[in-house]
């Protein structure tokens, strides 16, 4: 809380980390990754953002100063190989700490992929036709209610 309220001098971090587990989503099956591989890690500092996807995918790198909208992926750039290595070292330092672990079995995660879900984040879906009908039946042909006052 002191950081959020500007009262923690010198306590600022030089990076942020994000982790997303998509094992229980249909996109994991679509990408052909196992339950334990369906995870994304991101590390960013003020200049660069590196995204690591398990499952044999190459890294994604953005230069946030030159490309604030993150439109140019530098993950396969030879010029940025040293930066990719540096960002990976920051990410790996974070992953080596003791932390929470997934408490679901692989069988449970696999089963959740096909369970009808009525809320949450859907990765990789451009429109409702990208998803099985049973996963989107509650969202199809819905329109937002008009909330402005009449008159």
């Amino acid at each position: 809380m002191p950081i959020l309220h500007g009262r923690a001098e010198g306590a600022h971090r030089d990076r942020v980390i994000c982790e997303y587990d998509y094992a229980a989503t249909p996109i994991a099956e679509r990408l052909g990754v196992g339950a334990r591989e369906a995870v994304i890690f991101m590390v960013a500092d003020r200049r660069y953002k590196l995204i690591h996807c398990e499952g044999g995918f190459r890294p994604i790198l953005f230069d946030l100063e030159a490309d604030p909208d993150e439109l140019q992926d530098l993950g396969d750039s030879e010029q940025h190989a040293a930066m990719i290595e540096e960002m990976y070292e920051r990410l790996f330092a974070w992953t080596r700490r003791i932390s929470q672990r997934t408490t679901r079995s692989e069988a449970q995660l696999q089963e959740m992929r096909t369970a009808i879900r009525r809320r949450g984040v859907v990765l990789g879906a451009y429109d409702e036709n990208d998803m099985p009908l049973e996963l989107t039946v509650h969202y199809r042909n819905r329109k937002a209610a008009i909330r402005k006052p009449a008159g």
Side-chain angles (χ1 to χ4, degrees):
M1 290 302 287
I3 292 173
L4 294 176
H5 295 284
R7 296 189 306 258
E9 291 297 317
H12 301 285
R13 297 178 180 171
D14 64 348
R15 70 195 72 145
V16 295
I17 307 283
C18 179
E19 166 181 13
Y20 183 69
D21 179 346
Y22 64 98
T25 70
I27 193 68
E29 186 172 1
R30 213 165 161 190
L31 290 172
V33 295
R36 299 292 177 199
E37 294 176 312
V39 63
I40 300 169
F41 299 94
M42 182 275 302
V43 58
D45 60 19
R46 292 184 185 273
R47 174 81 189 264
Y48 290 99
K49 176 190 283 188
L50 176 100
I51 302 168
H52 170 81
C53 305
E54 285 292 305
F57 303 101
R58 72 165 177 77
I60 300 166
L61 180 73
F62 296 109
D63 180 335
L64 301 174
E65 283 182 10
D67 178 24
D69 294 324
E70 301 176 21
L71 299 174
Q72 186 176 1
D73 176 7
L74 304 170
D76 60 357
S77 166
E78 289 295 324
Q79 301 173 201
H80 294 86
M83 180 50 58
I84 290 169
E85 187 175 331
E86 181 180 328
M87 296 300 278
Y88 263 121
E89 181 49 43
R90 291 177 179 184
L91 180 61
F92 292 155
W94 175 79
T95 62
R96 289 189 297 264
R97 82 206 189 298
I98 300 297
S99 66
Q100 62 184 339
R101 297 200 169 96
T102 301
T103 58
R104 297 182 190 268
S105 71
E106 286 193 40
Q108 288 172 315
L109 291 170
Q110 295 277 355
E111 184 179 326
M112 289 173 69
R113 287 182 180 181
T114 56
I116 294 177
R117 304 181 69 76
R118 290 181 171 83
R119 62 178 189 208
V121 175
V122 177
L123 278 179
Y126 182 74
D127 70 19
E128 66 270 9
N129 295 316
D130 288 344
M131 302 296 295
L133 177 62
E134 66 270 11
L135 296 178
T136 61
V137 70
H138 297 286
Y139 303 106
R140 289 177 183 259
N141 302 315
R142 290 181 63 189
K143 302 217 185 292
I146 297 172
R147 303 269 182 202
K148 65 181 180 178

